[in-house]
Structure formats: structure tokens, C-alpha cells
């Protein structure tokens, strides 16, 4: 989860180009990441789920512990140069 939300935060930083602001990402990923116990109530709970996932995207650094506190993969931002393929 730490890796995923760090990646989604990185994606949201390019929202001018990809149109994926934190809220839009939350709308796309929220229903898959968080589900209530009662499937009939999923539509009514969707605004709260979207807000929670958006907050998790924006505040991922404060929510999830760092590598020293919790071992596991950590998302690191890096850009690659575009390569021409022959």
C-alpha cells in the first residue's frame, strides 16, 4: 500500500498532462481498494471512499512508515530518457 499510494501521488503531480488529479485517481482506484461489508450500500458510501483514498494519496508520507520502520518496497521517483526504438 505504501508503494501504491506513493506511486499514485507521483502520477497526480503530472495532472496537467494526464488529467489525473488525486480525486480522479481516487474515483478510479477507490472502489477496488476499499469495499464495505454490505454491497447494497456501496453507492451510498462511495463519496466517503473517494475522500479517504484521495487523502491517502495526498498524505501518503505521513500515513505510511518509512523503510527503516517497516521493511518492504518503497517507490522512488525517477525519470528515464525517451529512447528511440529501431
Amino acid at each position: 500500500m505504501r508503494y501504491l499510494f506513493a506511486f499514485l501521488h507521483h502520477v497526480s503531480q503530472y495532472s496537467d498532462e494526464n488529467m489525473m488529479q488525486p480525486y480522479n485517481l481516487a474515483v478510479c482506484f477507490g472502489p477496488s481498494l476499499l469495499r464495505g461489508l454490505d454491497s447494497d450500500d456501496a453507492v451510498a458510501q462511495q463519496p466517503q471512499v473517494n475522500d479517504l483514498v484521495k487523502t491517502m494519496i495526498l498524505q501518503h508520507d505521513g500515513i505510511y512508515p518509512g523503510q527503516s520502520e517497516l521493511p518492504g518496497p518503497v517507490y522512488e521517483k525517477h525519470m528515464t530518457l525517451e529512447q528511440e526504438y529501431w
Side-chain angles (χ1 to χ4, degrees):
M1 295 295 279
R2 170 180 58 197
Y3 189 96
L4 174 64
F5 282 103
F7 171 73
L8 292 176
H9 182 263
H10 185 209
V11 169
S12 73
Q13 290 177 328
Y14 294 93
S15 63
D16 290 345
E17 298 170 25
N18 62 24
M19 304 296 189
M20 294 306 285
Q21 298 170 344
Y23 180 78
N24 296 346
L25 291 165
V27 168
C28 293
F29 286 92
S32 297
L33 294 172
L34 299 172
R35 295 181 189 206
L37 297 175
D38 186 10
S39 62
D40 294 336
D41 202 24
V43 173
Q45 294 176 348
Q46 199 56 48
Q48 291 88 0
V49 168
N50 292 345
D51 285 340
L52 178 59
V53 172
K54 178 181 133 184
T55 300
M56 292 172 77
I57 291 170
L58 292 171
Q59 304 296 326
H60 70 93
D61 282 334
I63 295 171
Y64 296 103
Q67 179 73 19
S68 62
E69 298 171 44
L70 180 66
V74 176
Y75 179 76
E76 296 179 21
K77 295 187 248 184
H78 65 278
M79 302 297 290
T80 59
L81 298 174
E82 293 184 25
Q83 299 177 356
E84 291 186 27
Y85 294 96
W86 302 84

